[in-house]
Amino acid sequence: MTKADVNKLDNEQLSALLDGEQQLTDQAITNDDVSTFGRYAMIGDVMRAEANNNAFNFDIADAVAEALEQEPVYADFANKTTAPKSEEIVAATGTDNVVAFNWRRPFAQVAIAASVAMFAIVGVQTLPQNTEAPQNDIPTLQTVPLTGMASPVSYSSEQPALENAQQGLRELQQQRIGALVLEHQRQARVAYSLEESQTADNAEEEKN
Amino acid sequence: MKVFTFILSLVLTAPAIASDENPAKTLLHDMATAVHTRNFDASFVVVKGQAMEPYRWLHAKQGDIELEHLSLLNGAGLEMVRVDDQVTYFEPHSEPYSVKTDSIAGPIPEVLFKDIDRLSAHYDFVLGGKGRIAGRSAQLVRIESKDEYKYNYWIWLDTESSLLLKSAYVNHKGEMLEQLQLTHISVTEQPAPMLVEMQNREFPAVLSTNDIASDSDGAANDWKIGWLPDGFKLLKSDRHKLDLNNELADYYLYSDGFVEVSVFIQRPLPGKRASGALSSGATTVYVHNGGSFDVSVVGNIPAMTAKAIAESVARPL
């Protein structure tokens, strides 16, 4: 008898045991691999849950916790001082309760900026190749927010192969547009500082 | 007698007209003052087409110091904190940083809290009708672009407190593209405890103007941007890598005091790509395929304007 056959036999016993078709013996317990036991128990739960319409208990908390442990931390402001200047402040005061950049930032670890998600492209319309198209005939790439399910892209049935090839490119373009929008938002924030310093410069030049 | 009353009324009203040349502007000035001096706790939503963003907005004046907190409540979130003339931005995925300015660059154009008079050259200020917004009596003020290259901006102000109740980017057909609407506001005597606590926190040091102007990997190639609507000034240009995808871009930032426009020039993506526009609310992204380079224009401007700017970009001579 090969090893595989042995395992199979054990599992049959275990299955029968869980279904109440076999008595629980010491030997059976020692043979039972704990994880196998758990799996079979879950299968049983699922089947019974289906029967009496109850949700079964599918415990993935451990697995999730473990996965989270492995996740990179994106914005852990508490442990990491950012600007070099603020580091000096920490060093100077010497206490670790002073700098807390994570002020009301419990959601910082969610991966993507909402502002970027707004600009997901769903379908890319192609532009007519003649450049003499009427001025107000701008093709608009439709956007759909990522909140909720994105509706499936309606491909033109004529050129599925081409569409497939363009899929990768579309993702690239989507990434780029996300990056551009985020960058624009950030740069717009400093616009006033820049403008003020420019006006100040101009005023000084006029003085001189 | 009637003639006398008429003359009298003329005499009485004439100085009022002279001193108060534009009631719409006066209302906006009052709004800016109110926003800078009152203690309030407000919630508003920004509606962009199918999408909606809810925000909470708190402001307090504690002695001489202004405290403000604006936070995006959906998704990964975004927190903006202002302590007097220092604004700190907390974003997901990146480190917080501070900018020296006395207003938060959020969904409401910053200039409304500052000196709107400098917009006079390119925008008209018009009084609109009265209505009821967020349960309060409101007066509409329209900021209308003098040319068709920019959007108009409409603002509804509380007739009692002068605070902003609603605003919208409106195109030239009168369609509202992006609306901001207060759902709740309470004006209080005392500042919110949360804001007072904020005073005791430390925030990242302010980026100097030099840092802002040159967070770059060198100067931009000398691209020729042939056309922009009247009134737009170049604020900065450089070459830097974009945060999300690490792509290198030649970058130009323009502003007319009301809206900002970004122009990006990048290496072209592979394959045959069409030029086209994307929009979300009032924000337009126009991607132009210039052959050996790609031009992208981003800003709260009509797609036509973005297209014209993108197509005017030419190689440096």
Side-chain angles (χ1 to χ4, degrees), chain A residues 108-177:
Chain A
Q109 287 170 0
V110 186
I112 186 167
S115 50
V116 175
M118 303 277 304
F119 277 83
I121 312 171
V122 170
V124 179
Q125 247 178 289
T126 41
L127 187 72
Q129 286 311 304
N130 60 333
T131 46
E132 289 108 322
Q135 272 271 296
N136 52 2
D137 212 23
I138 290 189
T140 300
L141 314 176
Q142 280 299 311
T143 65
V144 153
L146 277 191
T147 51
M149 289 291 287
S151 46
V153 180
S154 56
Y155 289 120
S156 119
S157 56
E158 293 166 21
Q159 298 171 303
L162 188 67
E163 289 287 350
N164 264 346
Q166 282 176 351
Q167 182 70 35
L169 176 63
R170 195 169 292 166
E171 273 163 24
L172 263 182
Q173 197 176 26
Q174 199 164 328
Q175 267 179 18
R176 178 183 266 189
I177 287 166

Side-chain angles (χ1 to χ4, degrees), chain A residues 77 89 98 101 103 111-112 135 139 141 143 169 176-177 180 183-184 186-187 189 192-193 195 197-198, chain B residues 90-91 93 97 100 110-111 118 202 234 236 240 243 247 251 257 262 267 270 277-279 294 304:
Chain A
F77 309 134
I89 294 168
V98 182
F101 289 163
W103 195 75
I112 186 167
Q135 272 271 296
L141 314 176
T143 65
L169 176 63
R176 178 183 266 189
I177 287 166
L180 295 180
E183 190 63 25
H184 170 72
R186 289 198 179 152
Q187 298 287 354
R189 286 174 193 157
Y192 275 89
S193 301
E195 208 168 331
S197 72
Q198 273 190 5
Chain B
F90 295 89
E91 289 172 302
H93 224 79
Y97 63 94
K100 194 170 154 58
E110 259 187 282
V111 67
R118 61 170 163 183
E202 284 204 34
L234 180 68
K236 87 180 249 188
H240 67 264
D243 230 21
E247 255 189 288
Y251 178 74
S262 290
R267 208 163 44 83
L278 269 162
S279 61
D294 274 4
M304 284 310 309

Side-chain angles (χ1 to χ4, degrees), chain B residues 85-121:
Chain B
D85 62 349
Q86 176 176 342
V87 179
T88 308
Y89 296 92
F90 295 89
E91 289 172 302
H93 224 79
S94 63
E95 287 167 352
Y97 63 94
S98 301
V99 177
K100 194 170 154 58
T101 170
D102 64 350
S103 58
I104 291 178
I108 305 168
E110 259 187 282
V111 67
L112 297 177
F113 307 132
K114 298 180 184 240
D115 175 24
I116 50 147
D117 289 320
R118 61 170 163 183
L119 299 182
S120 303

Side-chain angles (χ1 to χ4, degrees), chain B residues 76-256:
Chain B
L78 173 66
E79 305 260 340
M80 293 155 270
V81 169
R82 177 164 76 94
V83 178
D84 230 15
D85 62 349
Q86 176 176 342
V87 179
T88 308
Y89 296 92
F90 295 89
E91 289 172 302
H93 224 79
S94 63
E95 287 167 352
Y97 63 94
S98 301
V99 177
K100 194 170 154 58
T101 170
D102 64 350
S103 58
I104 291 178
I108 305 168
E110 259 187 282
V111 67
L112 297 177
F113 307 132
K114 298 180 184 240
D115 175 24
I116 50 147
D117 289 320
R118 61 170 163 183
L119 299 182
S120 303
H122 304 284
Y123 293 89
D124 289 322
F125 297 86
V126 185
L127 263 193
K130 284 194 174 165
R132 182 168 167 270
I133 307 279
R136 306 174 77 104
S137 149
Q139 167 71 52
L140 169 63
V141 173
R142 301 197 310 240
I143 301 177
E144 308 227 298
S145 168
K146 287 186 179 174
D147 54 40
E148 73 270 33
Y149 304 119
K150 291 159 298 192
Y151 290 133
N152 299 327
Y153 199 75
W154 294 9
I155 307 161
W156 284 262
L157 303 170
D158 189 341
T159 47
E160 270 175 55
S161 70
S162 291
L163 288 168
L164 181 143
L165 295 175
K166 179 183 171 171
S167 70
Y169 282 96
V170 181
N171 69 11
H172 287 265
K173 288 182 204 150
E175 294 162 342
M176 292 190 196
L177 303 165
E178 182 175 322
Q179 298 185 58
L180 182 152
Q181 157 94 54
L182 258 76
T183 51
H184 152 262
I185 183 162
S186 54
V187 182
T188 53
E189 286 277 309
Q190 294 303 315
M194 197 182 86
L195 291 181
V196 178
E197 183 209 327
M198 210 166 76
Q199 253 186 301
N200 306 321
R201 302 281 181 155
E202 284 204 34
F203 294 104
V206 172
L207 297 171
S208 73
T209 326
N210 283 344
D211 285 345
I212 296 167
S214 64
D215 57 340
S216 59
D217 303 332
N221 247 327
D222 209 10
W223 294 93
K224 196 172 160 292
I225 297 171
W227 182 83
L228 279 155
D230 279 349
F232 279 85
K233 278 196 309 186
L234 180 68
L235 294 184
K236 87 180 249 188
S237 70
D238 65 10
R239 170 177 292 184
H240 67 264
K241 281 196 172 138
L242 303 181
D243 230 21
L244 281 187
N245 61 358
N246 231 11
E247 255 189 288
L248 200 63
D250 278 350
Y251 178 74
Y252 295 84
L253 175 67
Y254 288 92
S255 170
D256 72 340

Side-chain angles (χ1 to χ4, degrees), chain A residues 16-183:
Chain A
L17 171 77
L18 277 166
D19 290 340
E21 287 166 10
Q22 195 183 312
Q23 293 293 313
L24 190 64
T25 64
D26 283 351
Q27 203 211 341
I29 294 169
T30 45
N31 283 345
D32 291 340
D33 175 20
V34 179
S35 67
T36 322
F37 192 89
R39 220 162 46 233
Y40 276 61
M42 196 171 79
I43 295 169
D45 280 351
V46 173
M47 288 162 80
R48 278 185 290 276
E50 214 165 74
N52 57 17
N53 227 358
N54 274 334
F56 69 98
N57 182 18
F58 182 42
D59 190 7
I60 57 165
D62 283 350
V64 172
E66 201 184 326
L68 280 179
E69 204 90 315
Q70 310 291 328
E71 278 284 301
V73 177
Y74 291 119
D76 194 1
F77 309 134
N79 298 333
K80 191 171 53 173
T81 48
T82 53
K85 278 182 188 161
S86 54
E87 217 156 37
E88 284 163 25
I89 294 168
V90 180
T93 53
T95 52
D96 50 7
N97 61 343
V98 182
V99 177
F101 289 163
N102 60 340
W103 195 75
R104 282 178 45 83
R105 288 296 305 127
F107 308 113
Q109 287 170 0
V110 186
I112 186 167
S115 50
V116 175
M118 303 277 304
F119 277 83
I121 312 171
V122 170
V124 179
Q125 247 178 289
T126 41
L127 187 72
Q129 286 311 304
N130 60 333
T131 46
E132 289 108 322
Q135 272 271 296
N136 52 2
D137 212 23
I138 290 189
T140 300
L141 314 176
Q142 280 299 311
T143 65
V144 153
L146 277 191
T147 51
M149 289 291 287
S151 46
V153 180
S154 56
Y155 289 120
S156 119
S157 56
E158 293 166 21
Q159 298 171 303
L162 188 67
E163 289 287 350
N164 264 346
Q166 282 176 351
Q167 182 70 35
L169 176 63
R170 195 169 292 166
E171 273 163 24
L172 263 182
Q173 197 176 26
Q174 199 164 328
Q175 267 179 18
R176 178 183 266 189
I177 287 166
L180 295 180
V181 171
L182 185 68
E183 190 63 25

